[in-house]
Amino acid sequence: MKYFLGRLFLLLFYSSLFSAIDLRSVDGHQGAFKWLMKRKNDISESGAVLSTTRYLPDSEWLPAVVPGTVLNSLVYNKIYPSPCYDLYKNSETAIPDISDVGGEFYHYWFRTTFMLPEDFKGRRVWMRFNGVNYEATIWLNGQKIGETAGMFKGACVDVTSVVDFEGVNVLAVDVLPAEATDAASNNGNRAMNKKSTGDDAEIGKEVAMQMSAGEDGAFPEGVPDRNTGIWRDVVLYSTGAVALRNPFVKTDLPIPKLAPSRQTLSVRVVNATNKPQSGTLTGVIYDNDIRASRKVALKAGEEKEIFFRPQDYPQLIIGNPRLWWPRNKGEQYLYRLSFDFFMSNGVKSDHVETRFGIREITVKQSATDISPVFYVNGKRLFIRGDNWMSEAMCHTSKLRTYVELKYMQQAGINMLRLWGGGVSESDYFFDLCDKLGILVWHESW
């Protein structure tokens, strides 16, 4: 029985060749963009008006923390105390719970403005929401550009025809909480999820972080707003007519010889136009100067996964690979991989990069002993593990993630259990675990 416990790749959802804009807020994150928010019931205008420069927010619009939640922003503005302290339960400072006041109490508009850099001109422009909880309607420059539902579902929209390449762009997002029910209908917990189990067999559909509703040792009564908001980054990036997404590497390492290693590369190729497109896709593993190319033809609007397999590209077989090992067992070597797509006229359309480790992770369990035994690259590993729970209010940062994982490494931890009642952590989290030599046991909903 074989499991891959540490992720071998880092997903990049935007091009690293051209500019990318992370719309992080000035408030709470020291970002570059001023976000504002206001309760939906206090606004009479539609998204078609709110997302234009002719609408001027009044003094009732509050500074918003993005990425973050409604409650993050309300605490930031000192309207309520932090629910991390019992003070928030006192009658004079109590934070209204969504199950008592209803979802409309935490139903808010979020709004910001931005301008595009010079090198976006003449290219496709994409806007990606990496996480909104729970439902959102997205408006840009007076036009509705999309909808999304589900805490763990991202949304990526081609906004080329909507953005203003010369002037100010206005983004307005209507964020609605998940349906709230009373405690009696959810076995004592105030429900966060429309479907708490995803019982239609579609993993992650209509499911949110369980601790938002009250779970285990974190906020047993639930987070009052159930973490409603734009809780992960909003990113703008540009590509040519063909975009690349989700680079992935699968390694196959023979045990006990540990050589040669066979790599299978893959990437998703997206035709962003309504016309057929063609060109050349090239993958490069820089450390060994390994290159693999193939011609790709796409129908109008087509998306497909392109593979480079070692049986077709023998150069993807590394005779003497540098291996990735857990901390204190050896080097945490990570190879660098890039993909480039060149159009038939020779113009580079997109470029993405990732890093990956070559390693083989297995678990063995005997019929008489229920305790599993872990092996990395054929060597038995004594697990020094710990439990990783998500930040209950979905308010974190790269600095905090780095510091906490560094503490784990310094404490001798070599495996983290990612609790299934929380969230799947950021790509940055998994990348750091790779660099620090920490395996991840990832539970899901």
Side-chain angles (χ1 to χ4, degrees), residues 297-316:
L298 298 166
K299 299 175 184 177
E302 184 180 11
E303 296 187 23
K304 60 183 177 182
E305 204 84 11
I306 303 297
F307 292 88
F308 295 89
R309 295 183 172 89
Q311 57 265 37
D312 302 318
Y313 299 88
Q315 62 268 40
L316 295 177

Side-chain angles (χ1 to χ4, degrees), residues 121 180 188 212 226 283 292 315 353 375 403 437 444-445:
K121 292 181 179 180
S212 299
R226 303 300 187 267
Q315 62 268 40
E353 291 190 7
Y375 295 82
V403 170
S444 294
W445 320 278

Side-chain angles (χ1 to χ4, degrees), residues 242-246 266-272 277-279 281 294-299 301-307 341:
V242 175
L244 301 177
R245 296 178 189 161
N246 302 1
S266 65
V267 68
R268 179 163 289 275
V269 183
V270 179
N271 180 359
Q277 301 289 347
S278 62
L281 176 66
R294 59 177 288 184
K295 300 289 185 180
V296 176
L298 298 166
K299 299 175 184 177
E302 184 180 11
E303 296 187 23
K304 60 183 177 182
E305 204 84 11
I306 303 297
F307 292 88
F341 193 93

Side-chain angles (χ1 to χ4, degrees), residues 323-338:
L323 303 183
W324 182 96
W325 295 90
R327 66 179 308 276
N328 296 331
K329 291 297 182 181
E331 182 182 20
Q332 288 83 51
Y333 191 80
L334 296 172
Y335 286 82
R336 178 188 169 203
L337 166 72
S338 75

Side-chain angles (χ1 to χ4, degrees), residues 52-69:
T52 63
T53 54
R54 67 177 180 271
Y55 178 83
L56 299 177
D58 57 35
S59 59
E60 294 182 357
W61 284 79
L62 299 172
V65 177
V66 177
T69 64

Side-chain angles (χ1 to χ4, degrees), residues 10-144:
L10 170 65
L11 292 180
L12 296 180
F13 290 113
Y14 52 85
S15 169
S16 58
L17 178 64
F18 298 90
S19 298
I21 305 172
D22 191 330
L23 298 181
R24 288 201 153 214
S25 63
V26 172
D27 296 286
H29 290 294
Q30 294 76 53
F33 298 88
K34 184 67 177 179
W35 282 83
L36 299 172
M37 74 174 202
K38 190 175 181 179
R39 186 179 286 128
K40 173 71 177 290
N41 283 345
D42 296 332
I43 298 176
S44 58
E45 292 83 0
S46 68
V49 175
L50 296 177
S51 61
T52 63
T53 54
R54 67 177 180 271
Y55 178 83
L56 299 177
D58 57 35
S59 59
E60 294 182 357
W61 284 79
L62 299 172
V65 177
V66 177
T69 64
V70 171
L71 188 53
N72 290 157
S73 296
L74 294 175
V75 171
Y76 176 82
N77 286 286
K78 302 188 185 305
I79 294 173
Y80 297 120
S82 170
C84 296
Y85 305 94
D86 283 342
L87 179 67
Y88 88 93
K89 297 180 181 178
N90 295 341
S91 59
E92 294 182 1
T93 57
I95 303 174
D97 192 277
I98 197 171
S99 64
D100 299 321
V101 296
E104 286 302 312
F105 189 86
Y106 290 109
H107 185 180
Y108 272 75
W109 277 101
F110 290 82
R111 187 180 190 272
T112 193
T113 60
F114 62 88
M115 295 185 70
L116 296 177
E118 191 69 22
D119 62 10
F120 273 44
K121 292 181 179 180
R123 294 174 58 78
R124 312 297 301 187
V125 180
W126 304 83
M127 179 177 288
R128 179 169 183 88
F129 286 76
N130 287 332
V132 180
N133 192 25
Y134 187 81
E135 297 180 16
T137 305
I138 306 163
W139 295 80
L140 179 65
N141 295 340
Q143 297 187 42
K144 179 180 172 182

